[in-house]
Amino acid sequence: MINRKSLMMEKIYIFFVCLFCFMSILSSTYIDDIINNYGKIFSIMQNVFVIIFSCLAIVNIKVTKKTLLIIYIFLLIICLILMKNNDKSFLVLIMMLFALPKNFNLSKLSKYIILTNFFSIALIIVLSKIGLITDRIFVQRDVIRHGFGFVSANAFSNLVTATIVLYIFHKKENITFTNIILCCILLFAVSEITNSRAAMLIGFISIFIIILLKRTIKKTNSIINKLIFVISKYIFLVLFAFTVIFTIYISTIPYNTMLSNLNELFTGRINQLIEFYNLYGIHLIGSPIVTIGIKNALASGQKWVGIDMAYLNYTLRYGMIFMIFLSFLYMKMCKKLKENNLVFESAYIIIICIMGLTENILLLPYYNFALFLIANNLKQKRQGEM
């Protein structure tokens, strides 16, 4: 039985998580066209969010000694990282996850994040279509790509796809044929507008998996379910290790036709790996990396400088120790998912980790709900459901 105080803490937590997600999404748009200095406003609000989530974390701290030890180790790693990186969003995320209340209703949180994402997307599209903010049009390989108010076509399509994926796995076996058709139409429409093939592919793979799991969910010895549990447990570690090893390898060999073709296939991402690895290298604690966002690049006439692939981005920025520890947390969480037979959540982990191969999304709470699953795993014995 949840008391009134717990319900109030739950509502406060959901409100501030959704507010942070909403403001973060706006920061990846041209909202500056109508809100002057929005970047500075968001930067100030990040400090406010750190204070709020820190207070909530103190109020909600009720864990075992073993979990407390893991939290202390994680905080030590975070402190070392922050000594080298002045990354406010990262700090907000860490405090947000520590503030997650015990016995928290994750399903309710995922529902409100989905609603926040769809509301944000709809708001930005409307603002761009009525001309209040810029609808940036990009031309890539002679194909026109619309940003619909977002800083890039990819930013728009990735957010839509990640939200649809979360919606699909939130519905689980209760998803209807009508839900699936609507998701397919939306994915196809966004792909046509933005020419984002990878995003559409991820969306359709998710739909295929959810249809498959609806048929096998009641079969206790299903091979598909067992396979999903095994893959989900190790996928983050495997993709992280593969990215690091692959990057080191291609950075030490002469640039050849194979790499050129791979770079073409992944729209410049192979060159990003080589360039950033050669500039910053891989360290235990990471190092600050310099990027130039699309808005700043267009405003200043400079070239965009960044790295889309999450695993190398975080390895360079936050270091090997952080990534290895995060891999441990993913495995620990996925083990609990298996113990509680939460196959839909495990399948979601696989999808979102695969998205991280080409997109820088794995430490953004409005993209990656697995972050809350990890925090929940540290707070209680039974793993919460999406």
Side-chain angles (χ1 to χ4, degrees):
M1 188 73 179
I2 301 176
N3 58 39
R4 291 178 65 182
K5 181 185 174 182
S6 297
L7 283 172
M8 181 58 67
M9 293 303 299
E10 186 176 275
K11 289 178 181 178
I12 292 171
Y13 183 79
I14 289 174
F15 172 78
F16 282 110
V17 167
C18 291
L19 181 60
F20 174 74
C21 290
F22 176 67
M23 294 193 71
S24 297
I25 291 169
L26 291 188
S27 71
S28 65
T29 71
Y30 286 99
I31 198 68
D32 308 72
D33 291 351
I34 55 176
I35 303 177
N36 292 329
N37 299 315
Y38 180 79
K40 292 181 180 178
I41 295 170
F42 182 54
S43 181
I44 293 169
M45 282 302 299
Q46 285 177 315
N47 296 327
V48 175
F49 284 123
V50 169
I51 294 170
I52 291 170
F53 286 123
S54 297
C55 293
L56 290 175
I58 293 169
V59 172
N60 294 327
I61 189 74
K62 291 178 183 178
V63 294
T64 63
K65 290 182 179 179
K66 181 180 178 182
T67 300
L68 199 60
L69 177 61
I70 294 174
I71 290 173
Y72 281 144
I73 293 171
F74 196 59
L75 280 174
L76 177 61
I77 295 170
I78 300 307
C79 289
L80 292 172
I81 291 170
L82 291 174
M83 286 172 64
K84 300 188 74 174
N85 289 275
N86 182 24
D87 193 335
K88 289 183 182 179
S89 290
F90 182 67
L91 183 57
V92 174
L93 172 65
I94 298 304
M95 298 317 302
M96 180 190 297
L97 298 180
F98 280 131
L100 184 79
K102 191 176 181 181
N103 301 317
F104 183 68
N105 188 338
L106 284 180
S107 180
K108 187 182 290 186
L109 178 62
S110 63
K111 172 187 171 182
Y112 279 104
I113 288 179
I114 291 166
L115 290 172
T116 300
N117 285 7
F118 276 132
F119 172 76
S120 305
I121 292 165
L123 175 65
I124 296 305
I125 290 175
V126 169
L127 291 176
S128 70
K129 289 294 98 183
I130 62 178
L132 289 179
I133 65 175
T134 304
D135 175 14
R136 183 70 63 183
I137 297 174
F138 304 85
V139 179
Q140 187 177 47
R141 297 173 181 171
D142 298 323
V143 176
I144 295 175
R145 310 178 72 196
H146 284 267
F148 279 118
F150 287 82
V151 293
S152 70
N154 276 356
F156 171 53
S157 64
N158 288 335
L159 181 58
V160 173
T161 301
T163 307
I164 289 175
V165 170
L166 180 56
Y167 171 77
I168 289 168
F169 287 102
H170 170 75
K171 296 288 286 185
K172 302 187 179 81
E173 67 268 28
N174 297 319
I175 195 166
T176 65
F177 179 74
T178 303
N179 297 148
I180 290 172
I181 293 298
L182 288 174
C183 288
C184 288
I185 292 171
L186 188 53
L187 284 167
F188 182 77
V190 170
S191 175
E192 285 295 300
I193 293 166
T194 63
N195 192 38
S196 297
R197 299 159 298 173
M200 183 178 70
L201 182 61
I202 286 290
F204 282 117
I205 290 173
S206 301
I207 291 170
F208 173 75
I209 290 175
I210 209 78
I211 293 171
L212 202 61
L213 290 180
K214 275 172 67 72
R215 295 175 175 273
T216 64
I217 186 64
K218 294 180 181 179
K219 298 178 182 178
T220 54
N221 293 318
S222 166
I223 294 175
I224 293 172
N225 292 12
K226 289 179 180 178
L227 190 62
I228 285 174
F229 284 131
V230 172
I231 294 172
S232 65
K233 184 176 181 180
Y234 298 106
I235 189 165
F236 184 91
L237 176 63
V238 168
L239 293 181
F240 152 58
F242 167 78
T243 302
V244 170
I245 293 168
F246 178 72
T247 302
I248 294 173
Y249 172 72
I250 63 174
S251 299
T252 56
I253 63 172
Y255 198 79
N256 52 41
T257 305
M258 181 193 73
L259 291 180
S260 179
N261 292 337
L262 277 175
N263 189 60
E264 181 74 12
L265 178 65
F266 289 99
T267 56
R269 288 174 173 84
I270 301 301
N271 284 352
Q272 290 175 17
L273 293 179
I274 297 171
E275 180 182 349
F276 274 80
Y277 173 75
N278 288 333
L279 273 174
Y280 300 102
I282 293 174
H283 307 283
L284 289 178
I285 301 175
S287 59
I289 63 175
V290 178
T291 59
I292 301 175
I294 292 176
K295 281 195 290 187
N296 291 335
L298 290 171
S300 62
Q302 294 177 283
K303 180 185 175 183
W304 173 82
V305 178
I307 180 166
D308 289 320
M309 305 173 90
Y311 296 99
L312 187 68
N313 189 343
Y314 302 147
T315 303
L316 295 176
R317 195 183 295 270
Y318 306 123
M320 288 290 289
I321 293 175
F322 170 76
M323 290 298 288
I324 291 169
F325 194 75
L326 189 56
S327 300
F328 162 75
L329 292 179
Y330 264 93
M331 288 190 289
K332 184 177 185 297
M333 180 249 312
C334 289
K335 180 183 177 183
K336 189 66 68 71
L337 291 177
K338 181 183 178 182
E339 289 172 1
N340 291 282
N341 198 35
L342 298 177
V343 68
F344 288 100
E345 283 78 1
S346 296
Y348 173 78
I349 299 300
I350 294 171
I351 293 295
I352 211 70
C353 285
I354 291 173
M355 280 190 75
L357 266 179
T358 58
E359 307 300 336
N360 186 23
I361 64 164
L362 295 182
L363 291 181
L364 301 175
Y366 48 96
Y367 275 103
N368 183 10
F369 195 79
L371 296 166
F372 296 104
L373 292 172
I374 290 172
N376 176 262
N377 176 248
L378 294 173
K379 290 290 183 81
Q380 58 191 59
K381 291 182 180 179
R382 177 172 174 81
Q383 179 66 53
E385 300 182 37
M386 290 175 13

